[in-house]
Amino acid sequence: MKAIYPDSGDGDPEAVPGVRPETEGAADVSSLTLEVDGELFALSPNEFGGTDYAWLSGPNPGYGFGVSPTPNLSLDEHMEHIRNFLAQVDPTTGYIEDD
């Protein structure tokens, strides 16, 4: 997960809650692609200190989910989040249905 979270995870001593530093010109952080149970997901960091999971092989382009915060999750924990998401998806629509 170092490609997504390159720091040690100890936190930034100058961080201020609710204030996001400017990222213009910063190096672009690439996403990680995972295959879980035959489905392909792109994982990328989001602005909330979490991870966005884009379902690349799903029937609905752009569909996925996010989890926050996720600074120190292992690959197995990311895979568990994906499996939990897939377990909720209606196979007919490819979406999580509202109750």
Side-chain angles (χ1 to χ4, degrees):
M1 296 312 307
K2 292 296 183 185
I4 294 178
Y5 303 103
D7 66 22
S8 65
D10 294 333
D12 182 349
E14 296 179 24
V16 178
V19 178
R20 182 176 177 206
E22 293 298 320
T23 57
E24 187 172 321
D28 199 16
V29 177
S30 62
S31 65
L32 170 71
T33 303
L34 279 180
E35 183 176 344
V36 178
D37 301 335
E39 298 293 341
L40 196 60
F41 286 81
L43 284 63
S44 57
N46 66 29
E47 69 263 22
F48 305 111
T51 301
D52 288 331
Y53 300 79
W55 189 9
L56 301 177
S57 60
N60 304 304
Y63 194 61
F65 66 102
V67 175
S68 186
T70 58
N72 297 310
L73 292 184
S74 68
L75 267 178
D76 286 338
E77 290 170 310
H78 283 290
M79 292 171 71
E80 181 178 341
H81 284 298
I82 291 169
R83 285 188 178 106
N84 289 338
F85 166 79
L86 290 171
Q88 296 176 60
V89 171
D90 182 325
T92 304
T93 66
Y95 291 106
I96 294 176
E97 299 298 324
D98 292 330
D99 291 333

